Structure formats: structure tokens, C-alpha cells
Amino acid sequence: MKENYSLLIADDDDAIRNGMSNYIDWDSMGFYVAASFEDGKEMIEYLEKNHVDVVLTDIQMSENSGLDVARYIFEHHLNTKVIILSGYKEFEYARQAIAYNVEDYVLKPVNLDELYSIFSKIYQKLGEERREKEERISQKQDFDEMLPELQEQFWMSILLGVSGNREKIIERRETLGLHFSTRMPCAVLDVKIDLNGDSGQYYFLEKNNRYNLLNNLFSGETEGISFNPVYVGPDKLKMVAVTENAADISEFENKIIDLVKVKKKEAYVFIGLHFDAELEGVYPNMKDLTDHYALSNKAGLTGAAGYSSELSSACCKPENSHGEVRDGIYPAVAELSSKSVKLGLITHASSQKLGEVYNLIMNIIDSDNLKELDYLISTVFFELREEPLNYVRGVIMDLFSLLQARFMKMSQEMWVEARSHISYEKLSAAGSIEELRETCLIQIHQVLDVADRRKKDVSRSLTQKVKKYLDEHYEEDISLDVLSERYYVNSSYLSRLFRQEMGTTITDYLTNVRIEKAKELLLTGKYKIYEISEMTGYRSDKYFFRVFKQRTGMSPSEFLRSHIS
């Protein structure tokens, strides 16, 4: 369907104005006349309240001229094209409008061929601009959707010791909308949730629910400190505490201890949940934190696979409340920092590219189309061929961190096995783009082989989780999108998987559950039909009636009478 753009016409000559408005086939050119005026003043008043794509205005009118209109549009940064109508004697005067980005000029008397040619170009230009705008919006939406994953991945890269130097951390922090000072104290907390209690604990057996709990409990800033939960291993939940405010390390540590006490009390009072968040390490600034984890990860003592409590007690905490450190600890970190590999920076644009590649890889996992993998990775490296090696290395490391984060949420067992095939050391050691590409491909193939082997078990487990959720939450507004977001899977994959495992679609299964429950409620005789409709997830009585009759061959009333008799 052809897009039509709005057009305003202004001319103080009635014959020209009416002729331009009524006798030109604007629709065939992709435009429609939204309004016409005899003076620029009226046109400006219209523009104050309405968006318009194009104005065609006479240059000389009684109160406000066409140049006044063009100037108004220019000064108010309106996305409106201006075309000037002028006589030959006014043409030089009209040329002044070039300062206001006027698109073109139409001489009187109007030559229709010329007019059609001008508006054909304008139509094409408007279409290109609209497509570019939609693409920008789409890219921003993609980036916004990926932002929680990218933020979690950022903190994971900190705890993996692969975050890069201070300048890169600052730029990535700004790109991802994080708020903290790299020069202020920071800390890492080890979080454990007690699942042995008896109040609401079943809900928190789901790892993602535990993550969301901590995210909600510690969200925002409290006394200038923000907490950032991240899974660094199977059932190993950490929080990185940061601040923008000036504070010495002892003051910062005491604040965190006090805040954790408050949050623990809130969680227990509100839902009866016990959790503990012990300080694993407190650091004078972000550089010391990242250097510590870079050193620890290199030594094989910490990292995504697990953290050593011995290392924590030996290296992380200052000896006294004044933040003094024991000899040999931070000097060793500083030595490592001077030798560390400088990783690439993920900018907003490369985050979008990273998100695209990540989603494509997840789609490859979902669709079993592993043959596309080599082509995808080769394409990524081709597009990054002009970038420095360290930049590309940073993008690839971030990609693996994102995949790890998703595998953690999909299956602990899958994550453990997949993690054993990821070597950041090998990625760091690659001396060329080609060597990095080969190392990347080998590791991704190994990771996806793990995913492929374990997917059947995970699929069966996922199907049972979805089935159980539908059985227990049938009265809620449930859609495929809701389920795919809840279980972190592609919606089309989830739909296909459920059909394969259950022999029916999610929609049909949910409908059957609802109708069977409606039958039970009808037979109790306690509820009106409209109440049963709401209790079984139908917000429309008429729709409930129709579905019930389709499934049972009877209306709800007929069904009830048939069982009473």
C-alpha cells in the first residue's frame, strides 16, 4: 500500500490556492492536502499544533511570507519539507530561502510536469528518511532489549577479569547507562539464598526468580550505593557494589554491611525468605577490583567456574578499617595490570552488532541449523576486518560472556559443560584476526555441540515446566510471548518444542485446561457463568461462550443442565 504524506498549501490568490488544492492529482503522487491557507500566519499556527510532511507556500503574502514559514520550520527543527511558489520577478528573493533548507522552487504559472517531477523526488526522499528513522528506532529497540543482558555481561566481564582498562570501562559504563565512579570504592558480595525454609521457597528454586528477587530488592541507589547482581557460575550469585559518591573505603564497607542487614530484614519480613550476602572483597577503586580478578583468574583460583574463599580472605579485604593493604598484594596486581591485554570497547553501535550476532547464534541453537554457524562467524569477522585486533577480541569475548549468561539461565548442567570449552586465555593469546577467528569457531562449535547434546533433556524439562505453569496459572493472561520471556527461549522454538513433546499447541493445551476447569466450576453450582469466565482466564463472556461450545458442543448452560438431569 502506497504511503501518503501530508501537504499544506498557502497562497493569497484564491484561484491558485483552490486550483493547487483541488485540481492536481496529489494522491497519485503519494500526498494529500491536509489544509490550505491564504496567509503564512495561518500556516504557522497550524504547524504549531500538527505534524506536516510538506508545505507548498507562496513567497509573498500579506502578514507572514513563505520565507517566514520556512524560517519558522528551520528554527523549530521541524521535519517538514518546504517548497516555495514564486513568480519570475520574485525568484532572486526566493533564493534567500536557501538559508532555511528549502527543498525546491516552483515558478508561476505552474508547469505540471515540473511539479510532478519535484514532488516525485520529495516523495522518494521522505520514504528514505522514514525507512532510516524506522531502522534507527528498530536498532534502539534491539539495543534496549539487549541492555539487561549486556549490563549483566559487563559485570560478569569484571569478575572474569577481562573488562579492559579504566578508560574502556568508563566508555562502556556510559554506553550501557550504568552509574558509578571508577575512582570510588567498590565491593563484591557472595550471595546465598536459604532454600531450606518453609515460606514461599518453592518459587525461588527457579534461579531466574532468585536473580529477579535480588535485582528488585537492591534496585536503584540506596545512600548513593548501587548493587548489581550477576551469576558467575552455577548457583554462584554475586553482587558488585559501586558508588558515585566520594567515600573512604572503611565508610563504604560499613555502609554496605548496614544496607545488607536492612535488605535481609525486608526480605524476611515481606516473604519469609532468608538470604546472606557476605563481603567477598572491598577495593579502593574499580581498577583494583578488575586487576584483582584478572590476577586471580589467570592464576586459576577464581573465575566463572568458582571463587576461592581462601583467595578472598587472603587478597581482597584490607587489614584494618583505614583501608591499608598488606604488603605484596596490590603491587602484584599492579604488575599484572602493566602486562595485561588491552581489550576492545563495546560501543553502542558494536553492542547492537553484538546483540544481533548473539540472537542469531541463539536462533541457530533453537533451529538446529548449525551449518549456518561458520558463515555467521565468518561474516562477523569480515565486517570487523578493518578494526584493531584488540577491538575484535573484546567483541568476541563479550559474545562468549553473553552466551555463558544465557546458558546459566537455561541449564546449570549445560553451562558447566559448555564453560569447560571456553578459554579466554586462548582468545587473549590469538596473535592475528585469522587465529582469533579459528579459535572462536572451535570454541563456539564445542559450546554448541554441548547445547545440541543436552537440548533434548532441557527441552523435555522445559516442556514440563511450561505445562505445569499452564496448569497452575490458566486464569492469567498468558501468551506465547509471556512464556518465551519467562523461560528465556525464542517464541517460535518454544511453540515448536511444545507441539513436538505434547502433540498439541500451547494455545490448544491452555484452552483445554481452561474448559476442563470451567466444567468443574459449573458443576459446583457456586458461581455465575460470567464469574467462571473470569476465573478461567477469559475477559469476555461472549468469547468464553463461543470457545466452550466449540470444545464441548454445548453452551455452559446446556452442559450444566445435561449433568443435572
Side-chain angles (χ1 to χ4, degrees):
M1 183 177 177
K2 190 170 184 178
E3 184 80 42
N4 272 20
Y5 297 101
S6 55
L7 169 67
L8 295 186
I9 295 174
D11 198 300
D12 55 3
D13 187 311
D14 291 345
I16 294 177
R17 184 176 68 254
N18 293 332
M20 296 289 288
S21 300
N22 302 319
Y23 301 118
I24 293 176
D25 188 3
W26 293 111
D27 185 64
S28 67
M29 291 187 281
F31 297 89
Y32 67 94
V33 178
S36 62
F37 309 99
E38 64 177 344
D39 191 83
K41 181 176 183 294
E42 297 169 328
M43 180 175 274
I44 290 173
E45 290 172 352
Y46 186 92
L47 288 167
E48 288 174 349
K49 300 177 181 178
N50 302 279
H51 168 74
V52 176
D53 296 303
V54 184
V55 297
L56 176 61
T57 174
D58 190 15
I59 195 164
Q60 287 191 333
M61 292 174 285
S62 57
E63 282 197 64
N64 288 122
S65 68
L67 287 184
D68 292 330
V69 172
R71 182 170 55 248
Y72 174 85
I73 290 171
F74 178 78
E75 291 177 349
H76 288 78
H77 308 289
L78 303 184
N79 188 23
T80 302
K81 309 297 181 191
V82 179
I83 300 172
I84 296 291
L85 269 170
S86 68
Y88 181 77
K89 292 181 180 179
E90 303 162 340
F91 188 69
E92 286 304 316
Y93 177 48
R95 288 173 65 87
Q96 298 175 29
I98 195 170
Y100 305 131
N101 293 337
V102 168
E103 291 290 327
D104 217 323
Y105 310 91
V106 177
L107 286 175
K108 301 177 186 177
V110 175
N111 181 302
L112 288 182
D113 289 338
E114 180 186 3
L115 186 73
Y116 274 71
S117 175
I118 289 172
F119 273 87
S120 175
K121 293 175 184 176
I122 294 292
Y123 183 87
Q124 185 176 357
K125 190 170 184 177
L126 285 168
E128 290 172 356
E129 290 177 356
R130 179 163 293 187
R131 286 188 291 273
E132 288 173 1
K133 180 181 178 182
E134 290 172 352
E135 185 176 348
R136 287 195 300 272
I137 292 172
S138 176
Q139 288 175 347
K140 185 179 184 305
Q141 288 173 342
D142 290 343
F143 180 77
D144 290 344
E145 288 174 5
M146 287 296 301
L147 192 56
E149 292 277 5
L150 291 170
Q151 288 175 338
E152 184 181 356
Q153 176 272 329
F154 169 82
W155 294 114
M156 181 184 291
S157 69
I158 294 286
L159 299 181
L160 286 170
V162 295
S163 55
N165 60 27
R166 179 176 172 273
E167 288 72 23
K168 297 186 189 303
I169 291 173
I170 289 173
E171 292 196 53
R172 187 183 294 186
R173 173 198 66 186
E174 293 171 355
T175 297
L176 299 179
L178 298 168
H179 303 285
F180 64 92
S181 169
T182 58
R183 299 186 184 279
M184 292 298 112
C186 49
V188 178
L189 298 94
D190 183 43
V191 181
K192 291 183 175 62
I193 295 179
D194 178 15
L195 300 179
N196 297 319
D198 57 0
S199 176
Q201 311 306 334
Y202 181 78
Y203 175 77
F204 297 108
L205 289 174
E206 286 285 341
K207 184 193 298 137
N208 190 56
N209 293 340
R210 301 201 295 276
Y211 175 86
N212 288 338
L213 166 71
L214 269 297
N215 230 351
N216 293 333
L217 195 63
F218 287 89
S219 64
E221 285 191 6
T222 306
E223 296 186 32
I225 296 175
S226 60
F227 295 84
N228 304 275
V230 57
Y231 273 103
V232 294
D235 276 339
K236 292 185 181 297
L237 183 58
K238 307 288 182 181
M239 281 195 296
V240 183
V242 292
T243 182
E244 288 186 288
N245 300 340
D248 65 43
I249 195 166
S250 59
E251 177 189 354
F252 180 75
E253 181 174 356
N254 290 333
K255 269 190 179 182
I256 289 177
I257 292 171
D258 292 340
L259 287 172
V260 168
K261 287 180 182 177
V262 171
K263 299 301 181 182
K264 287 170 65 175
K265 182 178 180 180
E266 289 177 356
Y268 179 71
V269 171
F270 182 57
I271 53 176
L273 184 74
H274 293 276
F275 80 90
D276 201 7
E278 295 183 353
L279 276 172
E280 184 173 274
V282 183
Y283 308 86
N285 53 59
M286 184 59 67
K287 181 179 182 299
D288 286 327
L289 185 155
T290 55
D291 285 349
H292 164 71
Y293 281 97
L295 174 64
S296 302
N297 196 45
K298 186 175 183 180
L301 297 173
T302 69
Y307 285 77
S308 164
S309 58
E310 292 82 3
L311 180 73
S312 176
S313 61
C315 297
C316 297
K317 293 184 181 179
E319 190 167 39
N320 57 47
S321 61
H322 300 291
E324 298 171 1
V325 296
R326 292 180 292 276
D327 293 340
I329 295 176
Y330 287 121
V333 170
E335 180 182 356
L336 174 72
S337 176
S338 66
K339 299 177 181 178
S340 64
V341 177
K342 294 188 177 182
L343 303 177
L345 163 71
I346 294 300
T347 62
H348 183 95
S350 57
S351 288
Q352 291 174 344
K353 174 56 66 178
L354 180 66
E356 292 172 9
V357 175
Y358 166 77
N359 285 327
L360 286 170
I361 290 179
M362 295 309 298
N363 286 335
I364 286 172
I365 294 173
D366 290 346
S367 65
D368 298 317
N369 191 10
L370 298 183
K371 292 180 180 178
E372 293 291 327
L373 182 61
D374 287 3
Y375 177 77
L376 171 61
I377 298 301
S378 295
T379 300
V380 171
F381 275 87
F382 178 79
E383 291 184 0
L384 297 175
R385 65 192 182 282
E386 302 296 332
E387 302 293 343
L389 173 60
N390 287 335
Y391 178 92
V392 182
R393 195 196 325 270
V395 172
I396 298 305
M397 285 184 167
D398 285 331
L399 174 60
F400 275 110
S401 293
L402 274 179
L403 290 173
Q404 284 189 94
R406 179 55 62 94
F407 281 148
M408 286 179 197
K409 294 173 182 178
M410 289 172 65
S411 162
Q412 292 185 25
E413 294 77 12
M414 182 188 292
W415 182 88
V416 170
E417 189 176 350
R419 176 67 183 87
S420 67
H421 296 289
I422 299 175
S423 171
Y424 289 97
E425 185 177 358
K426 289 182 179 179
L427 292 170
S428 296
S432 67
I433 294 288
E434 181 58 28
E435 186 180 350
L436 180 62
R437 187 184 73 83
E438 291 177 1
T439 304
C440 173
L441 270 174
I442 290 170
Q443 293 193 19
I444 284 189
H445 270 291
Q446 291 171 336
V447 167
L448 296 197
D449 283 343
V450 171
D452 191 50
R453 289 198 307 274
R454 291 190 172 271
K455 196 166 61 172
K456 289 185 179 179
D457 291 339
V458 173
S459 297
R460 281 191 290 270
S461 173
L462 177 59
T463 300
Q464 290 305 310
K465 287 179 181 178
V466 172
K467 177 180 177 297
K468 187 173 187 298
Y469 185 82
L470 296 175
D471 290 341
E472 296 176 353
H473 298 266
Y474 57 84
E475 77 282 2
E476 298 176 8
D477 186 13
I478 299 175
S479 67
L480 186 57
D481 287 340
V482 168
L483 293 171
S484 65
E485 289 178 10
R486 176 178 177 79
Y487 294 104
Y488 293 95
V489 290
N490 178 279
S491 58
S492 59
Y493 168 71
L494 179 60
S495 177
R496 185 173 68 252
L497 173 65
F498 193 91
R499 182 192 287 269
Q500 290 171 349
E501 294 287 332
M502 299 296 298
T504 185
T505 66
I506 291 175
T507 301
D508 281 346
Y509 182 84
L510 178 59
T511 300
N512 287 336
V513 170
R514 286 172 166 171
I515 296 304
E516 289 304 313
K517 187 63 181 177
K519 290 179 182 178
E520 293 176 16
L521 294 170
L522 278 167
L523 294 176
T524 65
K526 296 180 180 179
Y527 307 101
K528 300 185 186 310
I529 292 176
Y530 76 85
E531 292 175 323
I532 293 174
S533 171
E534 292 181 358
M535 293 167 70
T536 53
Y538 293 100
R539 303 297 174 256
S540 165
D541 295 351
K542 292 181 179 179
Y543 185 63
F544 170 69
F545 270 67
R546 185 165 71 250
V547 173
F548 192 95
K549 189 161 187 176
Q550 286 174 346
R551 295 285 167 154
T552 65
M554 296 177 280
S555 69
S557 300
E558 290 170 340
F559 172 83
L560 186 58
R561 285 197 297 270
S562 71
H563 282 72
I564 292 176
S565 60

